[in-house]
Amino acid sequence: MNSNEMIEILSDNTNNDWLFSEADKIRHENVGDEVHLRGLIEFSNICKRQCKYCGLRSANKEVERYRILKDELLTYAQKAVKMGYRTLVLQSGEDDFYDTDKMVEIIREIKKLDVALTLSIGEKTYDEYKAFKNAGVDRYLLRIETTDKKLYGNMHPNASYENRKQCLYDLKRLGYETGTGCLVGLPNQTIESLADDILFFKELDADMVGIGPFIPHEQTPLADAKKGDFWLALKVMALIRINLPDINIPATTAMETLNPNGRIIALKSGANVVMPNVTSKEYRAKYEIYPNKICINENPEQCRGCIEGKIKAIGRTISGEKGFRQRKNNS
Ligand code: 5AD
Ligand code: FES
């Protein structure tokens, strides 16, 4: 689709049912009915950056900060593998405590478990990304957040849009399965820019795209901003499935925060991945990117059981594979 077609769909709600069922059909034809579960380890909530929307921004002094060190991190990884996860995702704020050597040590240990490994630890240099790749990392998640340069600048003090984009191209060049995505509903974000975001995902040849509605956090400069719209975020997600048919698309936690059935609705509107948390309860509430995050009081076993039950209830199955992108035709 070109930009105008997408803008038209995003601005008009009369064809939403068509859009969601079309995305569901394209999901079924291209990536099948299996849902890939990725075990998420949020290992540090310490962040040097100042993203205006994020509760973990360094200026927020009300967060109780934590770091999970290697040995404890490995216990979560082992437990997740025993529970059936074939992919682990290590996510953190931009925390320089974990330098390249420390990360490489962690990566080597985790890769002994025969899992696919995804990192989501922010903007790094080409050489750092290369060291992680050589140590065995398979995938990397780095949302562009928005392709509207002016909005990007407003939302990210002291950060560079060009550098973020460069990071994504570096990751692709190094052979990572590259995940990106955007927020939907940032203050002053336009429908036109959302269409541009989708064109960017296509241009990058993103292997995974995660979409979530913006949820205002009390302890940020955007405390009083309007929250993003669940249905608009879902429409962006559905358009991504239609335009990038064979990629992996997660039903995100932010979707479920705004709608109690959000992940299942997403799985029926184009998504094929869920990323349940596999760390213990003591850390969950502290990784408060946005308020009212789900699964704060659950443990890894409860989340696994919960999401498996919901997925099976809609007639889908849980994949036992690592879930790499399988390219179709000439994509
Ligand atoms: N609301 C929704 N999503 C958010 N993220 C950060 N802050 C918020 C918020 N307030 C998302 C960003 C980031 C991902 C880890 O969480 O898109 O890339
Ligand atoms: Fe955590 Fe449902 S996935 S409780």
Side-chain angles (χ1 to χ4, degrees), residues 30-42:
N30 287 272
V31 297
D33 290 339
E34 288 194 331
V35 175
H36 300 286
L37 297 183
R38 323 288 202 198
L40 175 64
I41 303 178
E42 296 161 335

Side-chain angles (χ1 to χ4, degrees), residues 86-103:
R86 305 292 327 274
T87 292
L88 297 176
V89 182
L90 300 188
Q91 187 175 81
S92 70
E94 289 201 8
D95 181 357
D96 289 334
F97 169 82
Y98 300 87
D99 57 20
T100 310
D101 289 346
K102 284 201 187 74
M103 283 312 303

Side-chain angles (χ1 to χ4, degrees), residues 251 256 261-269 307 310-311 314:
E256 188 121 335
N261 201 27
R263 289 178 300 176
I264 291 302
I265 296 172
L267 286 172
K268 292 166 89 173
S269 311
I307 200 68
K310 289 181 182 184
I311 289 168
I314 57 166

Side-chain angles (χ1 to χ4, degrees), residues 265-292:
I265 296 172
L267 286 172
K268 292 166 89 173
S269 311
N272 69 320
V273 169
V274 181
M275 296 164 63
N277 196 315
V278 297
T279 51
S280 72
K281 246 163 64 172
E282 61 181 303
Y283 301 113
R284 296 186 176 208
K286 295 178 189 152
Y287 204 83
E288 198 185 46
I289 298 176
Y290 49 80
N292 305 316

Side-chain angles (χ1 to χ4, degrees), residues 38-265:
R38 323 288 202 198
L40 175 64
I41 303 178
E42 296 161 335
F43 69 95
S44 164
N45 67 353
I46 297 177
C47 191
K48 64 180 181 192
R49 296 182 52 137
Q50 292 298 342
C51 307
K52 279 194 192 150
Y53 44 79
C54 183
L56 299 183
R57 63 203 306 273
S58 63
N60 184 5
K61 303 297 179 206
E62 289 173 67
V63 195
E64 197 184 316
R65 305 282 174 171
Y66 71 84
R67 282 186 181 120
I68 300 178
L69 302 181
K70 189 181 86 182
D71 290 346
E72 187 183 353
L73 201 162
L74 291 175
T75 63
Y76 296 126
Q78 285 154 355
K79 209 168 135 185
V81 172
K82 282 208 191 92
M83 284 164 54
Y85 289 99
R86 305 292 327 274
T87 292
L88 297 176
V89 182
L90 300 188
Q91 187 175 81
S92 70
E94 289 201 8
D95 181 357
D96 289 334
F97 169 82
Y98 300 87
D99 57 20
T100 310
D101 289 346
K102 284 201 187 74
M103 283 312 303
V104 164
E105 256 185 73
I106 294 170
I107 292 161
R108 292 228 167 94
E109 289 301 319
I110 291 189
K111 285 302 290 185
K112 290 180 187 161
L113 302 172
D114 184 27
V115 282
L117 178 58
T118 306
L119 284 190
S120 179
I121 60 174
E123 293 179 29
K124 302 284 172 188
T125 64
Y126 184 87
D127 287 341
E128 288 170 295
Y129 286 149
K130 190 169 169 184
F132 303 152
K133 188 87 188 58
N134 289 340
V137 178
D138 303 277
R139 311 187 181 118
Y140 205 98
L141 304 181
L142 184 76
R143 288 189 181 172
I144 190 76
E145 313 293 1
T146 174
T147 57
D148 176 337
K149 270 177 92 161
K150 183 159 167 245
L151 179 61
Y152 188 93
N154 285 338
M155 289 294 121
H156 306 99
N158 310 318
S160 149
Y161 175 71
E162 293 308 327
N163 190 63
R164 199 160 187 88
K165 220 167 145 177
Q166 186 60 49
C167 285
L168 286 164
Y169 281 98
D170 287 347
L171 291 163
K172 280 298 289 191
R173 181 164 149 215
L174 285 162
Y176 281 93
E177 273 208 343
T178 304
T180 187
C182 62
L183 285 162
V184 175
L186 288 169
N188 299 315
Q189 187 178 35
T190 63
I191 294 288
E192 289 75 15
S193 81
L194 290 170
D196 288 341
D197 293 351
I198 300 172
L199 294 176
F200 170 73
F201 303 146
K202 186 125 186 141
E203 177 196 301
L204 174 71
D205 186 23
D207 302 294
M208 200 263 219
V209 177
I211 298 300
F214 158 66
I215 303 166
H217 189 296
E218 192 72 41
Q219 296 150 11
T220 66
L222 300 183
D224 297 324
K226 203 170 140 254
K227 67 170 191 245
D229 180 63
F230 171 83
W231 295 103
L232 182 60
L234 194 73
K235 287 174 73 174
V236 172
M237 194 202 78
L239 277 178
I240 292 167
R241 170 59 71 202
I242 293 171
N243 285 279
L244 292 88
D246 62 13
I247 68 165
N248 285 317
I249 299 182
T252 60
T253 306
M255 293 275 203
E256 188 121 335
T257 300
L258 287 195
N259 183 313
N261 201 27
R263 289 178 300 176
I264 291 302
I265 296 172

Side-chain angles (χ1 to χ4, degrees), residues 256 263 274 276-277 284 294-296 298-300 302-307 310:
E256 188 121 335
R263 289 178 300 176
V274 181
N277 196 315
R284 296 186 176 208
I294 58 165
C295 307
I296 293 293
E298 278 73 22
N299 63 34
Q302 287 168 317
C303 283
R304 177 88 193 191
C306 161
I307 200 68
K310 289 181 182 184

